[in-house]
Amino acid sequence: EVQLVESGGGLVQAGGSLRLSCAASGFTFDDYAIGWFRQAPGKEREGVSCISTSDGSTYYADSVKGRFTISSDNAKNTVYLQMNSLKPEDTAVYYCAADCEVADPDYWGQGTQVTVSS
């Protein structure tokens, strides 16, 4: 059974940092690109960042470039999203997904809430 389990969300003040983790199981880790989407209330789901676990190539949405960093630890089957200089507009539920290179990934985590206060 494929599982993606997120952790690391929370409440932080603007300018602060959080690190999200996504622990993957049930599939060969480097078979899929794994990444993060987010959805704020009343807004469409947005692709945030994606990493190819086979070659390390990355993608970032323009809104997070220079502030967020995605990485993977293949030994732990885990993908991380380091979020720095957080803004109130980063507030959303963040979901881990695979394969993040497609518009509608097959596998999703349960989501973790990130709230940035001004």
Side-chain angles (χ1 to χ4, degrees):
E1 178 188 5
V2 172
Q3 283 194 315
L4 298 170
V5 180
E6 302 104 331
S7 60
L11 173 64
V12 65
Q13 287 189 331
S17 298
L18 285 172
R19 188 176 81 155
L20 304 183
S21 300
C22 173
S25 61
F27 61 93
T28 302
F29 189 66
D30 58 5
D31 275 355
Y32 291 102
I34 298 175
W36 299 89
F37 292 74
R38 67 186 181 186
Q39 189 162 24
K43 294 190 176 180
E44 291 190 357
R45 187 177 69 197
E46 173 189 21
V48 175
S49 185
C50 182
I51 186 166
S52 168
T53 52
S54 59
D55 66 14
S57 58
T58 57
Y59 158 84
Y60 295 96
D62 287 343
S63 57
V64 306
K65 279 181 182 175
R67 300 188 298 122
F68 291 11
T69 303
I70 193 169
S71 61
S72 68
D73 184 335
N74 287 30
K76 295 182 178 179
N77 286 4
T78 300
V79 170
Y80 303 98
L81 185 68
Q82 178 67 43
M83 306 186 295
N84 297 330
S85 302
L86 282 161
K87 304 175 181 180
E89 51 263 44
D90 293 318
T91 295
V93 178
Y94 284 69
Y95 296 92
C96 179
D99 176 358
C100 55
E101 291 179 330
V102 301
D104 192 15
D106 286 333
Y107 304 113
W108 293 88
Q110 81 283 2
T112 187
Q113 177 71 46
V114 171
T115 302
V116 184
S117 63
S118 57

